[in-house]
Amino acid sequence: MNNFSNDEFDYHFLDEGFTVKDILNQKKNEVSSSDDKDAFYVVDLGDVLKKHLRWLKTLPQVTPFYAVKCNNSLTIVKTLAAVGAGFDCASKTEIQMMQSLGVPFGRIIYGNPWKQVSQIKYAANNGVQMMTVDSEVKLMKVASAHPKTKLILQIATDDSKAVFHLSAKFGTTLKTSRLLLEWVRELNIDVISVSFHVRSGCTEPESFVPAISDACYIFDMGTEVGFNIYLLDLGGGFPGSEDVKLKSEEIISVINTAFDTYFPSDSGVRTIAEPGRYNIASAFTLAVDIIVLQEQSGSDDEDESGEQTFMYYVNDKMYGSFTCILYNHAQVKPLLQKRPKSDEKYYSSSIWGQMCDGLDGIVECCDLPEMLMGHRMLFENIGAYTVAAASTFNGFQRPIINYVMSRPMWQGMQQIKSCDFPPEVEDQDISTLPVLRRVG
């Protein structure tokens, strides 16, 4: 790895032929003679860019607004801002981050329906117009604090096939949508968009079909009430792990077909989405070290097999990099940095964190060869809902993040920067987004 660091983006360039695994091996050698080992991430920013370019290729007319809550690392946000992504923000703090990076106001959605009045006023005073609402109470707050807002009406979806359910908390029903639109008309506020969210970890691509159908119904309802709703927001739910790439292709195919049915190319509708894990899940690899191991002989009454089992304690925790297990029901899988021998015996094992909390179980059961203190485990596809939600509970610090990028990807990013979203543009009218047409 070349030690030259890019001051603007705070990462290192990879030498030609180097990969993330090479960096992990290099860091292993750096600390091999030291007891002072800490967990750390290696992040391939080139992977983030490849995901962005893949999106532009496969969904060319769906403008991505990155969900900042998924991973708010400054370098990640900088990288996506540089190539023209929009941003879905949930708070004043996230909006301020976008402002500090010079993101045009037209590329910011204040997407959290649960807004306090002071933060609505902040958005209004700083040019952020697009806001999500899903109830009368929230509508009245926005109307009083930001009468020039451009509303996005969020509808509830069937999230029974999702890993993480939110429809009980977010989204208006079809039954109450008309009444809500009529209230908006009386308040003389503009509604420009309908949004939905099939929820994180959606396991069934077909879930997008009824959601798009319901959105079409609300578009027609808005026309009857007197609105010109022209923007469809597909929300999130797009998988980001490389091992589920096929699922992404299925989702694209399903969206394609639904667009043909409900929003044909001559409808004039524009579309955006709010991907989060899609952009950054596979870019992050976490390295942890075994700090304690406990061997069990299997001679007690609970283990009738008599086989040896091992409990491995590592230098990260459930309330740290593994919050994705609590927050998003993620299933993490350990990889060994040192390849085991072909004839090596495997044992039933469990992996635990370093917190003083019985909840801190990372992997309940997996098969591993016998390992020793100081041996390293890797966890891939761990960029989503980890860094952003990690705490310093018990005084344990968050892992250091090491960002890397290949020079060809860096050069490609410079080319995108030179033609996408000029920095002198302070606001972009959302109506200038491309018209929705068949994707893929």
Side-chain angles (χ1 to χ4, degrees):
M1 179 175 65
N2 193 317
N3 288 326
F4 174 74
S5 177
N6 181 279
D7 293 333
E8 181 183 0
F9 289 90
D10 190 26
Y11 56 75
H12 297 272
F13 289 124
L14 289 174
D15 289 331
E16 186 175 356
F18 266 60
T19 67
V20 167
K21 288 186 178 180
D22 294 322
I23 304 305
L24 289 164
N25 289 332
Q26 185 182 71
K27 286 193 166 292
K28 179 182 179 181
N29 295 332
E30 288 175 358
V31 299
S32 60
S33 61
S34 171
D35 292 329
D36 189 20
K37 300 178 182 180
D38 293 312
F40 63 89
Y41 291 100
V42 174
V43 180
D44 182 3
L45 289 173
D47 187 77
V48 176
L49 287 177
K50 283 190 285 187
K51 287 291 189 65
H52 181 74
L53 294 174
R54 184 186 299 170
W55 181 284
L56 297 181
K57 181 179 180 180
T58 58
L59 291 169
Q61 303 305 320
V62 181
T63 303
F65 279 66
Y66 173 67
V68 181
K69 63 180 178 290
C70 184
N71 188 317
N72 62 352
S73 300
L74 182 59
T75 301
I76 294 292
V77 176
K78 275 185 178 181
T79 301
L80 289 170
V83 293
F87 295 91
D88 165 32
C89 296
S91 65
K92 173 183 174 181
T93 300
E94 290 184 354
I95 292 173
Q96 288 175 324
M97 176 185 286
M98 300 308 109
Q99 288 179 296
S100 70
L101 298 176
V103 175
F105 301 131
R107 286 161 54 196
I108 299 174
I109 292 175
Y110 193 177
N112 182 359
W114 304 91
K115 307 175 183 70
Q116 63 189 68
V117 172
S118 62
Q119 299 204 11
I120 297 173
K121 289 181 177 178
Y122 179 86
N125 293 334
N126 288 275
V128 178
Q129 291 188 311
M130 291 184 287
M131 293 191 177
T132 301
V133 297
D134 62 2
S135 72
E136 179 188 7
V137 173
K138 299 165 193 173
L139 168 63
M140 298 308 294
K141 289 173 64 177
V142 172
S144 62
H146 193 353
K148 294 184 179 180
T149 185
K150 296 184 182 297
L151 287 181
I152 300 172
L153 180 63
Q154 182 167 343
I155 59 175
T157 61
D158 177 11
D159 60 1
S160 60
K161 300 293 180 64
V163 175
F164 193 54
H165 306 286
L166 278 178
S167 284
K169 182 177 181 181
F170 296 98
T172 183
T173 65
L174 297 184
K175 184 176 181 180
T176 59
S177 291
R178 185 180 187 92
L179 185 58
L180 193 56
L181 286 169
E182 290 173 348
W183 282 329
V184 175
R185 171 56 66 192
E186 291 181 6
L187 293 168
N188 196 30
I189 296 177
D190 196 13
V191 177
I192 67 166
S193 176
V194 176
S195 72
F196 58 81
H197 198 315
V198 297
R199 306 310 164 203
S200 295
C202 179
T203 58
E204 182 50 65
E206 290 295 330
S207 297
F208 278 89
V209 176
I212 292 174
S213 172
D214 289 347
C216 181
Y217 180 77
I218 302 299
F219 269 68
D220 293 339
M221 186 184 295
T223 300
E224 294 174 4
V225 175
F227 290 109
N228 177 30
I229 302 177
Y230 57 82
L231 183 67
L232 174 64
D233 183 350
L234 301 176
F238 302 90
S241 300
E242 283 302 304
D243 55 356
V244 292
K245 181 180 178 181
L246 182 60
K247 188 70 72 175
S248 296
E249 294 171 351
E250 292 176 11
I251 289 174
I252 291 169
S253 177
V254 167
I255 291 175
N256 239 353
T257 302
F259 281 171
D260 284 346
T261 303
Y262 300 104
F263 293 99
S265 58
D266 60 355
S267 66
V269 172
R270 295 161 174 83
T271 184
I272 62 175
E274 301 167 9
R277 70 177 63 252
Y278 168 84
N279 293 90
I280 46 81
S282 59
F284 280 64
T285 299
L286 175 69
V288 300
D289 293 302
I290 297 172
I291 56 175
V292 176
L293 66 87
Q294 182 174 328
E295 180 181 353
Q296 296 175 316
S297 64
S299 59
D300 57 17
D301 294 337
E302 294 183 3
D303 189 349
E304 299 177 358
S305 67
E307 291 286 335
Q308 283 181 300
T309 62
F310 292 89
M311 299 175 67
Y312 296 108
Y313 296 80
V314 299
N315 55 351
D316 209 333
K317 57 192 184 297
M318 182 75 79
Y319 297 163
S321 298
F322 297 101
T323 52
C324 55
I325 298 173
L326 289 172
Y327 181 74
N328 226 19
H329 308 287
Q331 294 182 342
V332 298
K333 181 190 301 183
L335 300 175
L336 305 185
Q337 186 163 17
K338 181 181 179 181
R339 180 174 297 181
K341 298 177 182 178
S342 58
D343 60 347
E344 196 160 3
K345 185 176 180 179
Y346 279 66
Y347 301 88
S348 178
S349 307
S350 58
I351 303 172
W352 301 79
Q354 62 191 155
M355 290 192 307
C356 300
D357 189 329
L359 184 64
D360 195 13
I362 297 169
V363 178
E364 182 177 355
C365 184
C366 61
D367 291 329
L368 294 172
E370 184 176 355
M371 303 178 71
L372 302 175
M373 285 179 54
H375 281 185
R376 176 167 292 168
M377 297 179 183
L378 305 179
F379 292 87
E380 296 179 331
N381 296 305
I382 200 164
Y385 300 101
T386 51
V387 175
S391 77
T392 57
F393 182 65
N394 280 161
F396 295 117
Q397 298 303 303
R398 302 177 184 88
I400 293 174
I401 305 177
N402 301 275
Y403 296 100
V404 297
M405 180 186 285
S406 68
R407 288 188 182 277
M409 289 305 298
W410 161 259
Q411 293 165 354
M413 186 174 74
Q414 301 313 302
Q415 293 176 358
I416 297 173
K417 285 174 63 179
S418 67
C419 62
D420 254 2
F421 296 102
E424 66 271 16
V425 177
E426 296 226 346
D427 191 13
Q428 178 182 344
D429 186 349
I430 199 72
S431 65
T432 64
L433 289 173
V435 174
L436 175 64
R437 62 174 175 78
R438 185 174 178 86
V439 296

